[in-house]
Amino acid sequence: MSNRGNGTRKNVNNGNRRVGRRALLAAAGAGVATTSLAGCLGGEEGLTIGHLAPMDNPLGVGSERSAQLAVDEINDDGGFDGGEAELITRDTRTDPSEAQDATEELVQQENADVLVGTFNSETTQAIQDLTAEFDVPFLITGSADPGLITDTVGSDYEEYKNIFRVGPINSDLQAESIADYCAYLQDTHGWSDVAFLRDQAAWTEPFGELVPEYLPERGLEIVHEDALSIEIDDLAPVVSDVNDSGADFVLRFFAHINASEMLGIWHSSEYEFGVEGIHVPGMHPAYHALTEGAASYETTSQSGAAGVTAITEKTQPFVEEYASTYEGEDPPVRAPMYMGFNTYDAIYIYRDVVDSIETTSTRDALDDFVDAMLEVEYTGVVGNISFYGRDSDYPHDAQEERNDDGSISNYPMTQWTPEGEIECVYPEAHRTADHQQPSWMQ
């Protein structure tokens, strides 16, 4: 969809904003550059939002649809500082080199005013220097590795101040939240012995460091642990090892690994352990049907809780509008996967910030943009969103929300039921159903 003609602003800027900030200043001088751009940019002419996602993955499709929904709604409601936005998506293919090419195209050829998205942390890491070089605001909506913030904004603030993470909360905080969830499972079912599995990928490294510390603090014991190659193609030995360990449940963190085979073996053999943690393929709205019911009793944590509970007053209206807009199209249609929820919120936050600083030229007003972002207190579809400040451990990272007891509340757990429904089982404030043990364990 295009709500703005391509012949106005892009032609005016041709040859200027296609050059990196530092190269531009070196070649033309700061004063000349400022003069040449003045009057050519501004909210009244609209803006371009660049969206980066793996488009061969339902997660990327859901993110793009959510982004388009937000852009359409905002354009119909007065726009971004009075101007309309155009959304342009480029496919990262979960490949760092592809993501770099896509980012260069969005920034240099499409003159994107802001970049939103990216899924796997390796891809996000690959483009951060590019976004910083061009001073383009970059709102992360799918990657959880804490190093994406601590190694950039946290280590060289002036260089990387353009980077914010809207969601999900980072893996350090996720590890704490899931450890509290494990304590809930212990209280509910008496489960105390844990088999701990994870992808060999950047986003799970904090889990590898923190989970073995957090679980014993909560009275649980890790009886089996392994980090699996993301290229693994036979999960049968893994399931066998978990069963042999005597674990009450397997706590796995899989974004790259599709554990459908594992679930099939688990169900057919009726192994007596639960399947908990994070499984990105399991967030697909049609996953239960795709696995012919093998996903029953599987849980996963995900931003937005698949839209099955009213995290805020905006959550379910968003999901209903999403389903209505994309009815009849290929899955996911009932709701986007977790990245879509974060992307939708990110675009609304960008609108609010643009309105507050009264310009859509956020690349030229980066300091004003950053100051306004740090003042954000936004109620979105995933919860209340604000960002850690410059002097924190996670500058520009999404802050966690906490309940009165101090536990993190904005990383809910969902569970597939045998009927193919999704329920939110944790935390209590968002719960739509009690957590179920597999039927053969009841």
Side-chain angles (χ1 to χ4, degrees):
M1 180 219 125
S2 174
N3 289 309
R4 192 186 71 185
N6 291 329
T8 55
R9 183 177 165 202
K10 285 188 172 65
N11 289 342
V12 169
N13 292 326
N14 188 27
N16 286 327
R17 293 185 63 178
R18 293 185 183 188
V19 181
R21 174 178 61 87
R22 292 171 181 80
L24 178 65
L25 297 180
V32 174
T34 302
T35 302
S36 67
L37 293 172
C40 298
L41 308 177
E44 292 183 356
E45 295 185 35
L47 75 158
T48 298
I49 296 174
H51 174 244
L52 292 155
M55 297 308 296
D56 58 349
N57 186 317
L59 177 139
V61 174
S63 182
E64 182 189 38
R65 290 173 177 169
S66 300
Q68 191 64 68
L69 193 59
V71 167
D72 289 347
E73 290 173 350
I74 293 170
N75 282 344
D76 290 343
D77 189 34
F80 297 74
D81 189 38
E84 290 194 344
E86 175 187 14
L87 180 74
I88 301 177
T89 292
R90 289 291 178 268
D91 190 356
T92 63
R93 304 178 189 272
T94 63
D95 180 277
S97 62
E98 291 280 351
Q100 289 176 333
D101 291 343
T103 301
E104 288 181 345
E105 184 178 342
L106 284 172
V107 173
Q108 295 183 274
Q109 297 180 27
E110 303 294 348
N111 297 321
D113 296 274
V114 60
L115 297 176
V116 179
T118 63
F119 166 48
N120 57 316
S121 295
E122 290 80 1
T123 293
T124 306
Q125 184 182 39
I127 68 171
Q128 288 183 300
D129 283 346
L130 274 173
T131 69
E133 175 70 15
F134 289 99
D135 280 346
V136 57
F138 177 29
L139 308 181
I140 299 169
T141 59
S143 306
D145 178 13
L148 298 174
I149 291 296
T150 57
D151 295 345
T152 57
V153 195
S155 63
D156 188 341
Y157 190 84
E158 285 303 318
E159 180 68 15
Y160 296 103
K161 61 188 175 185
N162 64 304
I163 299 171
F164 284 79
R165 174 160 37 211
V166 177
I169 59 172
N170 70 49
S171 297
D172 287 350
L173 299 168
Q174 290 181 21
E176 177 187 340
S177 179
I178 286 178
D180 286 341
Y181 170 68
C182 292
Y184 158 75
L185 294 176
Q186 184 182 40
D187 291 342
T188 303
H189 302 306
W191 293 354
S192 60
D193 292 343
V194 183
F196 172 38
L197 304 176
R198 61 184 177 91
D199 288 344
Q200 283 182 357
W203 78 282
T204 72
E205 290 178 4
F207 297 114
E209 296 173 4
L210 296 174
V211 168
E213 173 186 345
Y214 286 158
L215 294 189
E217 290 176 353
R218 290 160 175 79
L220 294 99
E221 180 181 0
I222 295 177
V223 296
H224 175 70
E225 181 176 354
D226 202 357
L228 306 176
S229 166
I230 61 175
E231 304 297 332
I232 191 170
D233 58 6
D234 183 5
L235 287 169
V238 177
V239 181
S240 180
D241 288 344
V242 171
N243 185 58
D244 291 345
S245 75
D248 295 312
F249 64 98
V250 57
L251 181 66
R252 82 281 185 253
F253 299 89
F254 293 163
H256 303 271
I257 295 173
N258 186 335
S260 300
E261 179 196 7
M262 178 178 180
L263 293 173
I265 298 169
W266 174 57
H267 260 266
S268 61
S269 300
E270 296 191 345
Y271 284 127
E272 293 198 350
F273 56 82
V275 177
E276 310 290 334
I278 299 173
H279 182 214
V280 172
M283 302 175 193
H284 192 302
Y287 189 67
H288 189 274
L290 292 170
T291 62
E292 299 180 341
S296 299
Y297 307 110
E298 179 196 44
T299 64
T300 184
S301 186
Q302 52 181 321
S303 305
V308 299
T309 186
I311 297 174
T312 75
E313 69 274 13
K314 296 178 180 177
T315 311
Q316 290 179 316
F318 160 63
V319 172
E320 290 167 3
E321 184 64 26
Y322 181 96
S324 173
T325 300
Y326 298 109
E327 182 179 7
E329 298 190 24
D330 290 337
V333 292
R334 189 195 59 77
M337 296 163 72
Y338 80 94
M339 184 174 163
F341 287 81
N342 295 323
T343 299
Y344 183 83
D345 282 342
I347 291 176
Y348 266 96
I349 288 171
Y350 185 74
R351 187 277 307 270
D352 285 358
V353 168
V354 161
D355 286 354
S356 72
I357 63 176
E358 299 181 336
T359 177
T360 58
S361 300
T362 44
R363 291 169 62 177
D364 301 310
L366 186 61
D367 285 337
D368 291 340
F369 173 82
V370 170
D371 289 344
M373 284 290 288
L374 292 174
E375 296 297 319
V376 163
E377 295 285 347
Y378 180 76
T379 298
V381 296
V382 303
N384 297 313
I385 300 170
S386 59
F387 302 100
Y388 278 108
R390 176 173 181 167
D391 297 327
S392 72
D393 290 339
Y394 308 113
H396 294 194
D397 213 342
Q399 293 197 43
E400 77 279 20
E401 293 183 81
R402 292 185 182 272
N403 292 326
D404 292 341
D405 63 1
S407 60
I408 293 172
S409 62
N410 59 339
Y411 201 55
M413 300 291 300
T414 58
Q415 182 176 39
W416 284 106
T417 71
E419 295 77 26
E421 302 296 327
I422 302 176
E423 301 286 356
C424 181
V425 296
Y426 183 87
E428 183 177 359
H430 302 317
R431 185 174 296 150
T432 58
D434 292 333
H435 180 276
Q436 296 186 56
Q437 296 188 77
S439 59
W440 56 89
M441 294 178 67
Q442 297 174 10

